[in-house]
Amino acid sequence: MSLSRLWSVQKSVKMAVATVAQPVRWIRTTGCIHDKLATKNVQKHDWNRAVSEAEKIVGYPTSFLSLRWLLSDEIANVALHLRKLVGSNHPLLKTAKNLLYNGKNNMQAWGLIVLLVSKAAGHAESIPDMEQDKSAGVLHSQRGLAEVTEMIRISHLVHQGLVNLQPVTVAGSDLAASHGDMTFGNKIALLSGDYLLSNSCSELASLRNQEVIELISSAVRDLTESEFIGDRDQQNKPLPSKPKELATKSTDASVDFDFNDVAIPLDTDGTIGDPEREWAVRHIMSAGSLLGKSCQGALKLAGQPKELQHQGYLFGKHLALAWQACLDLEPFQTNTLPMGTTFSLVSAPVLFHLEHDPSVYEEIIKGRENVEIIDYAKVHAAVIKGPGLEKTRDLQRKHSLAALKVLDELPSSDARTALQNIILAMQDL
């Protein structure tokens, strides 16, 4: 099927979704920022509609940023092998599903964010015409950086689908007989993640901008280091740290981890055991650093001043944290947890609840020896009754307001409005 045909099919589907979606509630571009988040008594934003409108502004759906890679022979072979995993319950299947289907968990919107920031901020007059994609209002190099951002994020998510099949004490023994499908799934996750990451590195080098290469490379470093924060269970999934006593907590409540020098890793001292600081450092390193530095790099490619570049980083960082807080709330939208369902034990609601009721930690640390004996329903019921959900909503609101504050410094444009609407749509998820 040709690219134009693929594009038209997805566009038709998106238009159908937009037709049945609720009308967009446009925000004011002036006035008090707090008014923008007072949304309870007016019509809700629709996430799919907000993303669909934003895609029209940058020229084409963000999911087609990496289409030339996804249609390569290597990825086509991966897709064929992936069918063999159906019924095996390998985590890679869930990752693939989230990548292919649109929705409020859309993993393919990060490139869109980078392009919208690029268009909203504009570029210096010294940029040659040949470098400009005038129909979309962005630079060709910025579009390439958006592709890099998507591929790095997807490769990281795919790599996270690897499953530990045996304890360290017997590592290296033959698993073919007892774990054939899972072993095969691990091979596919490892090789496909490596393929995407290597292509993103090649594309990054083709930008021929040493400062941007250093910037994005430092974000990849942060992604890697995020996997080594705090305790881990037998499947290498993160476990929350034991809450600190109030008397030993850091008196610095700003939780504003910044990157003034990309060569210096983020300092995590004093964060473990402090709910908001631990949550922030985990997700800045695993998400906020990549999105923030991609936005910063896009403005660097546009020849914008360093101060505006820094504002681009802050916008991406706060947007990623607001997005994560929104996702953390999802498992707690119902009073009962469906049987067999699990959730992140380092999500904001859980961390805040542990500060309120440290006794729940005794249930969680069982996962160090056997993750299957953790009673997720018990933890879920405790969190529902505690203050963790409201504190997480406040956390999401805090980072959304910080992102909106950065946007208010940019000139009024359709790209800026689209970014504002995406942030507001997160409030209604």
Side-chain angles (χ1 to χ4, degrees):
M1 183 181 291
S2 66
L3 175 60
S4 59
R5 177 58 178 164
L6 282 170
W7 187 2
S8 64
V9 169
Q10 178 161 345
K11 184 176 180 181
S12 299
V13 173
K14 288 183 176 294
M15 291 181 63
V17 172
T19 301
V20 299
Q22 296 175 349
V24 173
R25 170 174 45 81
W26 296 97
I27 66 169
R28 295 183 301 155
T29 56
T30 59
C32 180
I33 294 178
H34 292 276
D35 292 342
K36 297 176 182 178
L37 298 182
T39 61
K40 296 301 182 182
N41 58 346
V42 293
Q43 281 187 319
K44 289 184 176 182
H45 268 70
D46 179 82
W47 171 261
N48 288 332
R49 179 66 179 270
V51 171
S52 178
E53 292 294 330
E55 288 173 341
K56 296 176 183 177
I57 292 172
V58 295
Y60 55 76
T62 181
S63 56
F64 284 97
L65 285 172
S66 54
L67 189 62
R68 67 174 182 270
W69 293 343
L70 296 180
L71 292 182
S72 65
D73 291 339
E74 291 84 355
I75 294 299
N77 288 330
V78 168
L80 290 175
H81 290 305
L82 196 62
R83 296 176 59 185
K84 299 179 182 179
L85 295 178
V86 175
S88 67
N89 200 33
H90 195 283
L92 181 59
L93 291 174
K94 182 178 180 181
T95 301
K97 179 180 178 181
N98 288 336
L99 290 172
L100 294 173
Y101 293 98
N102 290 327
K104 59 186 178 182
N105 292 335
N106 193 339
M107 296 180 181
Q108 301 185 56
W110 281 38
L112 175 64
I113 299 297
V114 174
L115 291 179
L116 288 172
V117 169
S118 301
K119 185 169 184 177
H123 55 77
E125 296 181 358
S126 59
I127 301 296
D129 288 347
M130 291 184 61
E131 295 294 325
Q132 302 175 29
D133 182 353
K134 294 187 177 181
S135 61
V138 298
L139 306 181
H140 295 298
S141 58
Q142 290 174 326
R143 196 176 293 284
L145 180 58
E147 295 180 7
V148 168
T149 302
E150 292 234 357
M151 287 298 99
I152 292 176
R153 175 161 168 78
I154 293 174
S155 67
H156 179 64
L157 293 170
V158 170
H159 277 149
Q160 285 184 319
L162 288 168
V163 179
N164 290 343
L165 299 177
Q166 55 187 189
V168 176
T169 54
V170 294
S173 60
D174 186 14
L175 293 171
S178 57
H179 299 284
D181 288 340
M182 301 301 278
T183 302
F184 181 75
N186 278 354
K187 291 179 180 179
I188 295 299
L190 179 62
L191 294 175
S192 57
D194 286 351
Y195 172 78
L196 295 175
L197 184 59
S198 64
N199 272 278
S200 67
C201 292
S202 176
E203 183 77 8
L204 181 62
S206 70
L207 296 179
R208 300 182 180 276
N209 187 305
Q210 183 175 349
E211 292 183 344
V212 173
I213 293 173
E214 182 183 9
L215 196 64
I216 304 303
S217 298
S218 69
V220 176
R221 174 203 64 203
D222 296 331
L223 280 175
T224 303
E225 293 187 359
S226 69
E227 298 297 319
F228 297 91
I229 298 176
D231 295 333
R232 296 272 161 168
D233 62 24
Q234 291 183 353
Q235 287 299 325
N236 200 37
K237 294 181 180 178
L239 289 171
S241 304
K242 187 175 182 179
K244 290 181 179 179
E245 297 292 336
L246 293 177
T248 64
K249 281 189 179 181
S250 171
T251 56
D252 180 12
S254 63
V255 198
D256 186 22
F257 303 102
D258 213 338
F259 293 91
N260 293 320
D261 187 347
V262 298
I264 301 177
L266 181 63
D267 185 6
T268 61
D269 291 344
T271 63
I272 302 302
D274 188 327
E276 185 174 353
R277 294 179 66 83
E278 179 177 338
W279 178 87
V281 74
R282 285 182 184 275
H283 295 296
I284 287 176
M285 295 185 76
S286 65
S289 175
L290 177 60
L291 184 57
K293 291 179 179 180
S294 294
C295 293
Q296 180 181 349
L299 299 186
K300 186 182 292 289
L301 291 171
Q304 296 291 0
K306 288 188 176 181
E307 178 57 33
L308 186 56
Q309 294 175 25
H310 181 65
Q311 291 299 311
Y313 163 75
L314 292 178
F315 172 78
K317 180 189 76 171
H318 287 297
L319 178 58
L321 292 179
W323 197 326
Q324 185 61 48
C326 172
L327 297 180
D328 285 355
L329 285 168
E330 282 189 16
F332 303 96
Q333 298 302 316
T334 58
N335 292 328
T336 57
L337 187 69
M339 185 175 297
T341 303
T342 61
F343 50 85
S344 173
L345 296 172
V346 293
S347 61
V350 175
L351 292 176
F352 282 127
H353 186 80
L354 287 176
E355 180 185 40
H356 169 71
D357 180 14
S359 64
V360 178
Y361 187 71
E362 298 300 320
E363 179 66 35
I364 291 177
I365 60 174
K366 295 177 182 178
R368 293 178 180 174
E369 301 176 358
N370 187 348
V371 294
E372 295 181 358
I373 64 176
I374 294 181
D375 189 345
Y376 281 89
K378 180 179 178 180
V379 177
H380 182 273
V383 173
I384 288 289
K385 298 176 182 177
L389 296 184
E390 188 57 36
K391 287 187 176 182
T392 303
R393 294 187 186 98
D394 291 340
L395 188 65
Q396 180 189 8
R397 193 174 299 112
K398 167 186 172 181
H399 289 291
S400 295
L401 288 170
L404 286 169
K405 183 177 179 181
V406 174
L407 288 181
D408 281 345
E409 301 300 320
L410 299 178
S412 179
S413 66
D414 55 354
R416 190 186 82 165
T417 301
L419 287 168
Q420 291 170 326
N421 283 324
I422 286 175
I423 295 173
L424 288 174
M426 285 193 296
Q427 312 301 314
D428 296 327
L429 291 181

